[in-house]
C-alpha cells in the first residue's frame, strides 16, 4: 500500500504561562537547571507556538493548566491528531524541571541504523533527575493500554524530569507515564526494589547501563487483567508482585531503570523505593542516586540516538498480554482505484442490454418516525472476497447480533463474473483478460432480482497494462443466467465530493482531518474533493491559519457562526454553500480515521436520483487503536451520509426545527427523509473506517446531547 510514513516531530514541550528567554549556554549548565526547577524554559531559536487558555483543567489544589495548540504531523497509524500537545505545569508539579528539546524529527517507523546504542548508554555522573514522558487522554488501567497508545513511545504530550523516583499525587485522569534513567547504588550489596502506583505499573532494571538488558523485576496489576491494580501513595505491600527479589548492585556503576505506569480514574501517582543492604525498610529513591538517560542540553545527534535506542526493539515495549486484539491487513480493495487505471463506463456501455431497475423496497412516501429501521427499507449487501469485517461484532436497532458484512459465496461470485466476461468477449473480442476478482457486492431483492457491483482487474491488450472495471450489473429474478445493465444505475468517476463537518473547540481533531485530506491529495489518491467547515467560534484553534498552512488551502471553506451550537442548521448551511447540484455532499464526523479510498467508495455507492450512501464505522473501544484493535461496528449511527446535492435538496436536508441546539436522533430522521424520497439506501461496513474513542470534556457538548 502507498501509505505515507512521514517522520513526525519530536513531542511538543511544556509551554509556560509566562515565557522566559534563556540563553543556550545556561541551558547546558546543570547547576542552572537544578537551581531553576520551577521555571518554564523557552529555548532560544525554538519556533514559537501559540498558547491558548480555552482548554483548561483544574487539578487538586485548584491549580490551572493549559493545553498548547500544537502542530501534529500526519502518520497513517498514529493518533497524533488528538493529543500532540504540551501541557503547562500546575503548581503541584513544581518539583519537576524541564528543558526543551531542539533536535531533529523522529518516527516510530525509523530504524535504529547507524546508531551504536552502547556508546550513548553510559552515565558517569549523577545529575539528580530522571526523564519523565507522559501521555494524556488515553483510556485504560493496565500498562498494556499505554503500549497501545498510538503516540507511544515516540510522542509524549509532556516531556520533563523528576527530582526523585516519585511523581506528585494529582487527580488527573487517563494518564500514562514512562520514567527512565539510571540508578547509582552508593554501596555494593543486595538491593530490593518496590513499586507503588495508581493504576497498573511495571518496574524494569538492567543488569548494567545498557537499556537492552532490562528485565521486569516488579509490577502492579496482573497481565490480562484489564482493570489493573492500584495502591495508595507509598504503599508497597498490597501485592507480592510489587517487590523484587534481592538484586546485587555494585557501587560506582550505573544501572538503567525504567517504569511504565497507566492510570484511568481517581488519584494519579507512581513511586519506586529500594531497600539498601543492611536496611530494614524501603525508601523512595532520592535525587542523589539517579540521573537522566536523555540530557536535552546534549548534541542533537546524541538525543536522537538515545531516544531511538529505547523506542525501537526495546524489551519494555513488548506486550505482557496481547490476546483478543485484531490487526489491520492489506486488501486489494484498499488501493485498487489508485493503483490501476480506470476503465470508463463508455468503453463497456454496450456489453449488456439495458433493463429496468426499481427495487421493491424503494418507496416514495413520507415515513413515520424511525420507520426506516423498523421497516425493511435497508438491504445489506453480500461481499466477495472476504473483507474481514467479520472479526468485529455489531448489533442493530432490533438487537440482532451480526459479524461483519454478509458473505457472497465464491461459486456465486464466479458465476456472475464468468457471465459478464462472456458478454464482454462477445462485444470486445479478446481485448480483455481477467486477472483478478477484486470486489463483488451483491444486493438481493427477492421479489425482483439481484444487483451486483463488479470490480475486476483486467489486462487490456490494446493498452498493454491493467485496467479497473467497476460496473453495476443486474440479474432479474426470472433469469438466472443473463445479466443486464440496470437503467440509470451507473456511477460517475470524476464527480466532486464535498465533505461537510461542523466543529466547536475540537482543534486537534480538525487538524487530524485536514492532515488526512492533505495526505490523500498530496499522495495522489484523490484530488476531486472539497471540505466545508462550519465552525461555532472555536477558540482553541486558528482555523484560517490551519487552512493556510495545509496543502489543500484551495479546497477548504470555513463558515463562521457566532451563535449557540446548532448542528442541523450548521450542516444544512454547509450543504447550501455547495452550489453544484451534480456534485456529491458527504456529511462527516470528527474523530474519524478515513481510508485513503473514501471518496472513491462514496462515488461508487452514490447514484444521482437513485441512491445515497451511509457507511458503518468501526468504533474503537476505549484504550485501543488501529494497530491494536478491540472494536465494534456502529450500526445504529448514520452521521456519515453521502448524497447528490440535487437529492439532498429534494428531501430538504436535515430538520432544523425538530433538532435545534440539541442532537441525538437527527441522523435517523435524515434516513427517514432520504428513503421516503424514493432513494435506495446503500449501507455496508467499510473496512478501515475507524471512529476513535474520545473524551467529551466540553460543557457545550454534553448539554447538546439529548
Amino acid at each position: 500500500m502507498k501509505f505515507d510514513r512521514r517522520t513526525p516531530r519530536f513531542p511538543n514541550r511544556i509551554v509556560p504561562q509566562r515565557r522566559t528567554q534563556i540563553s543556550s549556554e545556561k541551558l547546558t549548565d546543570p547547576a542552572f537547571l537544578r537551581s531553576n526547577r520551577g521555571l518554564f524554559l523557552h529555548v532560544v531559536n525554538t519556533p514559537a507556538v501559540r498558547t491558548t487558555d480555552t482548554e483548561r483543567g483544574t487539578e487538586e489544589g485548584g491549580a490551572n493548566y493549559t493545553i498548547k495548540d500544537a502542530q501534529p504531523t500526519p502518520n497513517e497509524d498514529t493518533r497524533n491528531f488528538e493529543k500532540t500537545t504540551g501541557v503547562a505545569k500546575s503548581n503541584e508539579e513544581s518539583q519537576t524541571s524541564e528543558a526543551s528539546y531542539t533536535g531533529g524529527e523522529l518516527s516510530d517507523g525509523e530504524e535504529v541504523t547507524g546508531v551504536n546504542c552502547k556508546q550513548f548508554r553510559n552515565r558517569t555522573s549523577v545529575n539528580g533527575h530522571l526523564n519523565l514522558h507522559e501521555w494524556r487522554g488515553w483510556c485504560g488501567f493496565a500498562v498494556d493500554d499505554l503500549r497501545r497508545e498510538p503516540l507511544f513511545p515516540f510522542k509524549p504530550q509532556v516531556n520533563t524530569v523528576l527530582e526523585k523516583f516519585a511523581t506528585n499525587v494529582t487527580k488527573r485522569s487517563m494518564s500514562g507515564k514512562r520514567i527512565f534513567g539510571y540508578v547509582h547504588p552508593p554501596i555494593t550489596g543486595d538491593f530490593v526494589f518496590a513499586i507503588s502506583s495508581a493504576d497498573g505499573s511495571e518496574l524494569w532494571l538492567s543488569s548494567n547501563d545498557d537499556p537492552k538488558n532490562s528485565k521486569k523485576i516488579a509490577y502492579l496489576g496482573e497481565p490480562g487483567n484489564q482493570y489493573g491494580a492500584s495502591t495508595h501513595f507509598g504503599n508497597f505491600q498490597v501485592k507480592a508482585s510489587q517487590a523484587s527479589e534481592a538484586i546485587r548492585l555494585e557501587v560506582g556503576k550505573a544501572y538503567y531503570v525504567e517504569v511504565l505506569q497507566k492510570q484511568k480514574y481517581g488519584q494519579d501517582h507512581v513511586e519506586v523505593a529500594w531497600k539498601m543492604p543492611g536496611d530494614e525498610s524501603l525508601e523512595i529513591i532520592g535525587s542523589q542516586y539517579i540521573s537522566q538517560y536523555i540530557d536535552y542540553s546534549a548534541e542533537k545527534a546524541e538525543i536522537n540516538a538515545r531516544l531511538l535506542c529505547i523506542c525501537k526493539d526495546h524489551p519494555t515495549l513488548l506486550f505482557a498480554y496481547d490476546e483478543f486484539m485484531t490487526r489491520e491487513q492489506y486488501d486489494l480493495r484498499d488501493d485498487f482505484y489508485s493503483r490501476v487505471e480506470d476503465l470508463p463506463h463508455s468503453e463497456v456501455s454496450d456489453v449488456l442490454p439495458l433493463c429496468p431497475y426499481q427495487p421493491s423496497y424503494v418507496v416514495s412516501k413520507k415515513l413515520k418516525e424511525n420507520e426506516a429501521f423498523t421497516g425493511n427499507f435497508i438491504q445489506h449487501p453480500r461481499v466477495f472476497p472476504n473483507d474481514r469485517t467479520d472479526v468485529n461484532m455489531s448489533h442493530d436497532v432490533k438487537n440482532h447480533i451480526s459479524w461483519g458484512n454478509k458473505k457472497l459465496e465464491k461459486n456465486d461470485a464466479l458465476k456472475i463474473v464468468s457471465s459478464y466476461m462472456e458478454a464482454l468477449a462477445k462485444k470486445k473480442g479478446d481485448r480483455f483478460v481477467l486477472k483478478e476478482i477484486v470486489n463483488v457486492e451483491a444486493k438481493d431483492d427477492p421479489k425482483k432480482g439481484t444487483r451486483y457491483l463488479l470490480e475486476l482487474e483486467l489486462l487490456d491488450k490494446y493498452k498493454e497494462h491493467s485496467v479497473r472495471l467497476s460496473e453495476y450489473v443486474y440479474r432479474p429474478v426470472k433469469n438466472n443466467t443473463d445479466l443486464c445493465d440496470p437503467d440509470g444505475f451507473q456511477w460517475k468517476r470524476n464527480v466532486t465530493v464535498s465533505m461537510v463537518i461542523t466543529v466547536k473547540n475540537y482543534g486537534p481533531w480538525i487538524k487530524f482531518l485536514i492532515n488526512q485530506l492533505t495526505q490523500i491529495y498530496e499522495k495522489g489518491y484523490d484530488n476531486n474533493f472539497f471540505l466545508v467547515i462550519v465552525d461555532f467560534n472555536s477558540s482553541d484553534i486558528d482555523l484560517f491559519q490551519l487552512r493556510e498552512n495545509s496543502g489543500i488551502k484551495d479546497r477548504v471553506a470555513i463558515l463562521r457562526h457566532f451563535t449557540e451550537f446548532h448542528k442541523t442548521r450548521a450542516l444544512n448551511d454547509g450543504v447550501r454553500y455547495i452550489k453544484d447540484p451534480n456534485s456529491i455532499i458527504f456529511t462527516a464526523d470528527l474523530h474519524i480515521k478515513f481510508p485513503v479510498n473514501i471518496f472513491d467508495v462514496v462515488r461508487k455507492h452514490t447514484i444521482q436520483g437513485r441512491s445515497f450512501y451511509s457507511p458503518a464505522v468501526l468504533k474503537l473501544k476505549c484504550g485501543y487503536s488501529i494497530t491494536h484493535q478491540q472494536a465494534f461496528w456502529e450500526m445504529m449511527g448514520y452521521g456519515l451520509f453521502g448524497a447528490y446535492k440535487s437529492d439532498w435538496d429534494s428531501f430538504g436536508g436535515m430538520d432544523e426545527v425538530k433538532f435545534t441546539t440539541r442532537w441525538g436522533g437527527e441522523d435517523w430522521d435524515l434516513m427517514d427523509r432520504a428513503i421516503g424520497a424514493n432513494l435506495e439506501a446503500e449501507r455496508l461496513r467499510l473496512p478501515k473506517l475507524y471512529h476513535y474513542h474520545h473524551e467529551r470534556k466540553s460543557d457545550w457538548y454534553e448539554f447538546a446531547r439529548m
Side-chain angles (χ1 to χ4, degrees), residues 549-575:
N549 293 338
S550 76
I552 55 171
K553 62 181 181 180
D554 296 330
R555 297 171 184 273
V556 180
I558 301 171
L559 311 183
R560 299 297 299 273
H561 285 207
F562 298 91
T563 62
E564 190 175 11
F565 188 84
H566 189 156
K567 182 178 181 181
T568 54
R569 179 177 297 169
L571 291 176
N572 280 342
D573 286 349
V575 174

Side-chain angles (χ1 to χ4, degrees), residues 507-520:
W509 291 96
I510 193 65
K511 290 179 184 178
F512 174 55
L513 173 61
I514 288 182
N515 284 337
Q516 289 185 78
L517 298 184
T518 300
Q519 290 292 305
I520 289 173

Side-chain angles (χ1 to χ4, degrees), residues 359-413:
S360 62
Y361 47 79
V362 173
V363 297
S364 181
K365 66 174 185 178
K366 183 177 180 179
L367 299 187
K368 299 176 183 177
E369 185 174 5
N370 301 335
E371 189 178 354
F373 309 97
T374 58
N376 294 312
F377 301 111
I378 302 175
Q379 303 297 317
H380 297 277
R382 295 176 291 144
V383 177
F384 175 85
N386 183 5
D387 58 4
R388 297 190 75 250
T389 55
D390 59 349
V391 300
N392 299 104
M393 186 184 72
S394 60
H395 64 89
D396 59 22
V397 68
K398 298 180 181 179
N399 208 29
H400 295 157
I401 294 176
S402 60
W403 294 86
N405 291 321
K406 298 177 183 178
K407 290 184 175 63
L408 176 64
E409 295 299 325
K410 181 177 181 180
N411 287 340
D412 293 339

Side-chain angles (χ1 to χ4, degrees), residues 378 380 586 605-606 612-617 634-635 637-643 667 670-671 680-686 689:
I378 302 175
H380 297 277
F586 184 55
H605 295 90
T606 308
F612 65 89
Y613 179 55
S614 183
V617 300
E634 175 55 271
M635 299 305 294
Y638 295 82
L640 277 65
F641 184 94
D667 53 344
L670 184 64
M671 294 290 286
E680 185 175 355
E682 294 296 297
R683 177 75 163 170
L684 76 161
R685 298 161 180 86
L686 181 57
L689 177 65

Side-chain angles (χ1 to χ4, degrees), residues 408-444:
L408 176 64
E409 295 299 325
K410 181 177 181 180
N411 287 340
D412 293 339
L414 292 178
K415 287 179 182 178
I416 296 300
V417 172
S418 178
S419 295
Y420 185 85
M421 291 304 297
E422 288 177 7
L424 184 63
K426 288 179 182 179
K427 289 289 185 179
K428 307 298 179 182
D430 63 352
R431 175 182 172 183
F432 297 104
V433 178
L434 178 64
K435 292 182 64 177
E436 190 85 46
I437 300 175
V438 177
N439 183 51
V440 180
E441 297 172 14
K443 195 168 185 184
D444 300 314

Side-chain angles (χ1 to χ4, degrees), residues 13-14 16 19-24 27 40-48 98-103 296-297:
R13 272 76 57 191
I14 295 171
R19 285 180 176 170
T20 304
Q21 293 286 336
I22 310 282
S23 68
S24 57
L27 283 174
F40 301 115
L41 304 182
H42 175 60
V43 179
V44 177
N45 296 327
T46 299
E98 182 268 343
S100 293
Y101 169 71
T102 59
Y296 288 107
S297 64

Side-chain angles (χ1 to χ4, degrees), residues 366 369 566-572 576 648 651-674:
K366 183 177 180 179
E369 185 174 5
H566 189 156
K567 182 178 181 181
T568 54
R569 179 177 297 169
L571 291 176
N572 280 342
R576 278 190 285 267
W648 177 281
F651 60 76
M654 294 191 130
D655 190 336
E656 298 180 21
V657 177
K658 185 176 181 181
F659 302 94
T660 53
T661 56
R662 294 181 178 273
W663 76 84
E666 79 289 342
D667 53 344
W668 286 30
D669 181 77
L670 184 64
M671 294 290 286
D672 286 337
R673 296 159 73 90

Side-chain angles (χ1 to χ4, degrees), residues 30-257:
F32 174 82
L33 294 177
R34 283 195 295 271
S35 63
N36 291 275
R37 297 180 186 114
L39 284 179
F40 301 115
L41 304 182
H42 175 60
V43 179
V44 177
N45 296 327
T46 299
V49 182
R50 182 173 58 85
T51 305
T52 64
D53 61 0
T54 57
E55 194 174 343
R56 292 187 178 274
T58 303
E59 299 189 17
E60 193 174 39
N64 288 330
Y65 60 90
T66 302
I67 302 296
K68 181 179 72 175
D69 182 25
Q71 297 290 339
T73 303
N75 188 322
E76 283 295 331
D77 58 2
T78 60
R79 196 177 53 99
N80 58 351
F81 52 93
E82 184 179 304
K83 288 290 183 181
T84 319
T85 52
V87 180
K89 300 173 188 176
S90 71
N91 292 335
E92 290 185 301
E93 296 173 308
S94 60
Q95 295 180 21
T96 64
S97 63
E98 182 268 343
S100 293
Y101 169 71
T102 59
E105 297 183 340
L106 296 168
S107 168
D108 62 350
E110 194 168 339
E111 298 295 333
V112 188
T113 56
V115 173
N116 183 357
C117 293
K118 293 183 178 181
Q119 79 178 78
F120 292 112
R121 77 191 193 206
N122 192 28
R123 168 70 70 178
T124 57
S125 62
V126 178
N127 71 346
H129 298 91
L130 292 171
N131 295 107
L132 169 62
H133 290 177
E134 185 172 355
W135 293 261
R136 295 178 178 174
W138 188 249
C139 288
F141 298 90
V143 171
D144 276 347
D145 292 312
L146 175 60
R147 294 186 175 109
R148 281 188 287 268
E149 217 298 6
L151 297 182
F152 179 86
F154 275 96
K155 300 187 71 177
Q157 285 88 53
V158 176
N159 173 20
T160 184
V161 294
L162 295 175
E163 282 188 329
K164 58 184 178 180
F165 216 144
T167 64
N168 294 302
V169 180
T170 72
K171 287 186 177 181
R172 182 180 295 112
S173 296
M174 297 189 181
S175 171
K177 298 182 182 67
R178 189 185 195 190
I179 304 169
F180 56 96
Y182 299 99
V183 291
H184 303 262
I187 58 176
T188 297
D190 293 335
F191 288 71
V192 174
F193 289 79
I195 190 167
S196 173
S197 64
D199 295 295
S201 60
E202 295 177 358
L203 174 60
W204 294 70
L205 183 70
S206 176
S207 56
N208 53 26
D209 61 352
D210 187 351
K212 300 300 183 186
N213 293 328
S214 298
K215 294 184 178 180
K216 184 164 59 177
I217 62 172
Y219 63 91
L220 185 62
E222 294 296 326
N225 182 353
Q226 62 178 322
Y227 300 105
S230 185
T231 68
H232 292 296
F233 182 89
N235 190 338
F236 299 101
Q237 299 176 332
V238 175
K239 302 284 186 181
S241 63
Q242 289 179 252
S244 73
E245 301 291 333
I247 300 173
R248 189 161 188 84
L249 304 180
E250 297 182 25
V251 66
K253 292 187 175 181
Y255 297 84
Y256 179 83
V257 66

